[in-house]
Amino acid sequence: MPPKGAAQAKPVVGGRSVGKSLPMKQPKPAPQTSTKPAQARPAKRKDPPQQDAGARNPLGKGSRPNTRDAKRAKIHDNRSIAAQASHAALKDGELNVQSFIGSLSFEINALDESMRRTRTGQTSRAFQRVPFRMRRRAAAHNHKRIPKRLQRRAKREMAEDNTPTVNSKTRKPRTTRARLRAETARMLGVLARRKRLQKLKRSGADEETISVRAARPKIRRNAPNKPGVTARKYRKRQLSKTWLPTHLWHAKRARMTPSTQPLWRFAIPLTPTQKVYRPTHRILWEKGAMAWDMSYMSTISLSGAQNSVQNVLKSLGLVQEALWNDKARRWRSGAMHWTGTLSRKSKGALRVIGPATIMWNPEGNTTEVTDQSKRFRRLYIRIHPSAFLETFNELLRLAKMQNPRPFVEDLRFEIGSIDITGPDSTETLLGVLKPYFSKSELRECHASKFESLAGLKNPGALPVGSLLSFSIADPRLCYPPRQTTLPSATDHKVQRVLLEAISALRKEEAIKPHQLFDRDTRFKASKLPSQRSLNRRRGKGAPGKVLRPTIADPPIPLILFASRHSMSSQSPGTWTLMLPWNCVLPIWYSLMHYPLSTGGNPWFGGLDEVRQLEFERSLPWFPGDLPGTDAGKAWEIEERQVRYQAWNRRPKGKRINWESLDLGAGRKGEVGIGWGCDYETLFGLKKVGEPNEISTNGKNGNKESNETSENESQASLTRPLENIIQLPKSILIACQLSNSDLPHPLSLVTASIKMLGRGVLTTCSRIYRLPNTPPTIISPHAEVPSTEPPPPEVKGKLPHNLHSQWLAQKPSKSSCLKKVNTTRPSRLDLESRMQLLAQQLIGPPAPFPPPPPNSENINGHPLCPDEEDLIGFVTTGNFNLRNGRSEAIGNLSAIKALQELRRYKNQNDPTAKLCIVRNAGQNVSWLARWELI
């Protein structure tokens, strides 16, 4: 209460006294109609704000008050600060100190109260103050889904708002039927456990064997293996597919493949539920880290005599002399890995299988066998799952031809992997992967090398084929992960030490066999202690204390290698972590919760983010951008069906009519099928039946004929693609240098396409070459050669100067630096207008009848060439955030690409490798340039 001598308080808004403009009226009490007190009705959720009984409702009786006015009144009340006039303490020139201090004390308290009401009177709730990455759908009714700093406030808000909260773990069955079902399920579980123990006791096993022993999974030789046994309640969901080790974690945070349509027989996360397109670009090139669970990548083991293993590898396309001479001795000894393309011979042609990574296991004791060709060697082949079956069958075929015969093992469900990229990827791995050693003398050399890489920002800066193999402790022992101390990036001594550590990876040394190649070590590492036992051990110690590894904590063997996506050391690289399948989940949890020094935590990505980063690096993504391989053909056929179904679902008035597309010069209809990359049209292969014919003619025929024609059309789509092969860049360059050899007539070569101006390319865009220039006729009677006069325009023919029109579209340096204003100025004087009028009157008359539309150009754009100039299709096209323009990855006909390379002998010619690109379903084309990749 203010002091007695103080004046009456006046509210202040924004530092100004309101005075009498806002009188505070007390509402009159309503007349009582009954002597009994009215029972208070409990407040319901979503009820409108209650008003005083005497307050007038401007909208009339029975209508709700205006929420905007109520909100404004609430904000005004929160921000109004009561104040007292200071001149009341000054009387007759004397200052009443007690009254003056009381007035100031009242104002300070009023200011503090206003700040508190303004802070707590916001419309946002506790779960809305969480960053968008941490928001969950259950946060609105479960305070445990919110960070601990906001849980108390959320619990209070839910109690005040009567938010219905349900905890499924402690919820009891409400009906009799539900209680009976829960009790029956519990009794059945007890009975099954009792029968299982009785069966083991009858077999003569003791109690120690019953509780400790675990069956080691069998690995069949020269035959594919089955997935491991999963939990009983999830077994029926994995009949047609296999879950990744982190499936349950990803299923809550990412969009997964449909349950009935798995991808390569795996349930793979496609993309996170939150928007990550731009963050993914920033992570790759600026700061942060992003990780992927790549356990769906297939691992194949090849073991046997060294001579036999080498012959198998040479039959898979590893015929380069640099792989088998002294320069590649480090690779064959297991000190580095090799990444390249595997191929096989079929019907006299070389067919590309796909990219793969091969790493050897270092030799152990080699004193027993003196003949080097008969030494037992083992290696791992890591390949994409879409090409696993083709590679596995080819390995079996080649192994049968060797004597002694090597063994082939399927390790898809034995070894998992994690990929992580970004400038902070090395820091994340250093904070999570702690080397396992009991004594400092037993510390592995590769673990010391890995710890010396602190401060490395780009894994691509390491030597090509860098590989580290060591064992780590269970990351759950030191959970949550602590931030590692990084050296200063501006210290020259630190940078010198880092460069010395990088150069030390090139030195040769005696390497021990990799523990990941040992089956027993992998099996022991898979039997990690349960989380409950770790919590029990952690509860016995002090809070925050890191657990020490014991005998019950087996070491986890792993292989860590860095991959460089291009020959440039500036291109961001990627760390790949190979480890046992059952050890992926504990490491994944620590990776996702590691606190980065740049702020935040590492992000996770899906298949779409993998494709995005490959596109920003201007590299093809397997198998989508390699349609000449068997895996690429299967991908193209599936994508055609998806695009056709999406096109067919749209109403006829809102979908593209491919037959009526106007390409100019009287040409109607799209070139080939509009919803796919029609390589059959590119190579002139015969096709019988198309999906569009089925959809248009299906109304008149019966159902049986529709079904048979549809089956025939689906089969006809796969037959022509079988003859198409993928041609590597090196073979095409060799054909160009020889000037006589020609590649396979049905071969494709991958190219990178960059726009020279405007336009954004999309998938299935058509790629044309520049049309030929008109022939020049030299007269024998004239001293100066004369050109043939332009022929008259013929309906359905392209303009004779189409080549020069497209060359004029090529931007020059002067046009890029200075933009010329070609439009007429808005204001002209009288003399200029008279000159323009005279030019219109004196000039030649317009042709009559006028030419048809799109006969010479399309809205100022030159016409696209004819179908005979079609050289390829775009498999991936989008706007590249890295380069700030549209780019694409396409596949060209090897014959036509070779013709273009020989067409311009001087490769520095500014018109060399120019092409014209047109999106499917559009008639506007754009100028671009292609480069082989």
Side-chain angles (χ1 to χ4, degrees), residues 207-363:
E207 295 182 358
E208 184 179 356
T209 306
I210 294 173
S211 58
V212 177
R213 184 180 178 183
R216 190 175 67 172
K218 296 181 180 180
I219 300 177
R220 294 184 291 181
R221 288 182 173 180
N222 302 328
N225 285 314
K226 295 182 180 180
V229 179
T230 58
R232 186 179 300 273
K233 58 180 178 179
Y234 301 133
R235 198 167 297 171
K236 289 185 179 180
R237 308 185 197 179
Q238 303 184 53
L239 295 177
S240 60
K241 59 183 177 297
T242 303
W243 286 0
L244 299 180
T246 59
H247 175 81
L248 295 179
W249 191 92
H250 277 99
K252 303 174 183 178
R253 301 167 177 85
R255 295 184 180 92
M256 309 294 292
T257 53
S259 58
T260 57
Q261 300 175 1
L263 195 59
W264 309 308
R265 298 187 67 85
F266 283 97
I268 299 176
L270 298 178
T271 183
T273 52
Q274 60 187 4
K275 297 179 180 179
V276 294
Y277 189 83
R278 288 183 180 272
T280 302
H281 164 73
R282 298 190 187 102
I283 286 171
L284 180 65
W285 303 99
E286 296 178 9
K287 68 174 184 177
M290 177 171 282
W292 293 266
D293 184 3
M294 303 293 289
S295 298
Y296 57 85
M297 294 292 289
S298 303
T299 305
I300 304 174
S301 173
L302 180 64
S303 59
Q306 182 174 354
N307 194 19
S308 301
V309 173
Q310 290 183 2
N311 292 336
V312 172
L313 292 181
K314 290 179 181 179
S315 302
L316 285 176
L318 279 73
V319 295
Q320 298 88 343
E321 186 179 354
L323 294 177
W324 308 108
N325 55 17
D326 292 339
K327 294 182 179 179
R329 187 173 60 256
R330 295 188 65 244
W331 171 62
R332 296 194 303 272
S333 65
M336 58 182 297
H337 72 278
W338 173 86
T339 301
T341 304
L342 302 182
S343 58
R344 61 183 178 89
K345 292 183 179 180
S346 176
K347 299 179 181 179
L350 191 66
R351 292 183 175 270
V352 175
I353 297 178
T357 300
I358 299 177
M359 56 193 72
W360 292 79
N361 186 26
E363 299 181 75

Side-chain angles (χ1 to χ4, degrees), residues 691-703 705-706 709:
N692 57 355
E693 297 178 3
I694 299 169
S695 61
T696 54
N697 301 332
K699 296 181 179 180
N700 301 329
N702 53 11
K703 295 182 179 179
S705 61
N706 290 340
S709 61

Side-chain angles (χ1 to χ4, degrees), residues 330 449 499-509:
R330 295 188 65 244
K449 287 185 176 182
L499 291 177
E500 292 177 356
I502 293 176
S503 61
L505 296 176
R506 304 175 183 269
K507 297 180 180 179
E508 295 221 7
E509 57 185 10

Side-chain angles (χ1 to χ4, degrees), residues 562-580:
S563 57
R564 184 185 296 178
H565 299 277
S566 65
M567 297 309 296
S568 174
S569 60
Q570 301 299 327
S571 177
T574 302
W575 284 109
T576 300
L577 182 66
M578 296 179 63
L579 67 164

Side-chain angles (χ1 to χ4, degrees), residues 361-381:
N361 186 26
E363 299 181 75
N365 188 7
T366 59
T367 58
E368 299 178 0
V369 182
T370 56
D371 191 0
Q372 188 176 1
S373 61
K374 295 183 180 180
R375 290 178 181 175
F376 183 83
R377 299 299 304 274
R378 184 188 297 271
L379 58 86
Y380 280 169
I381 301 176

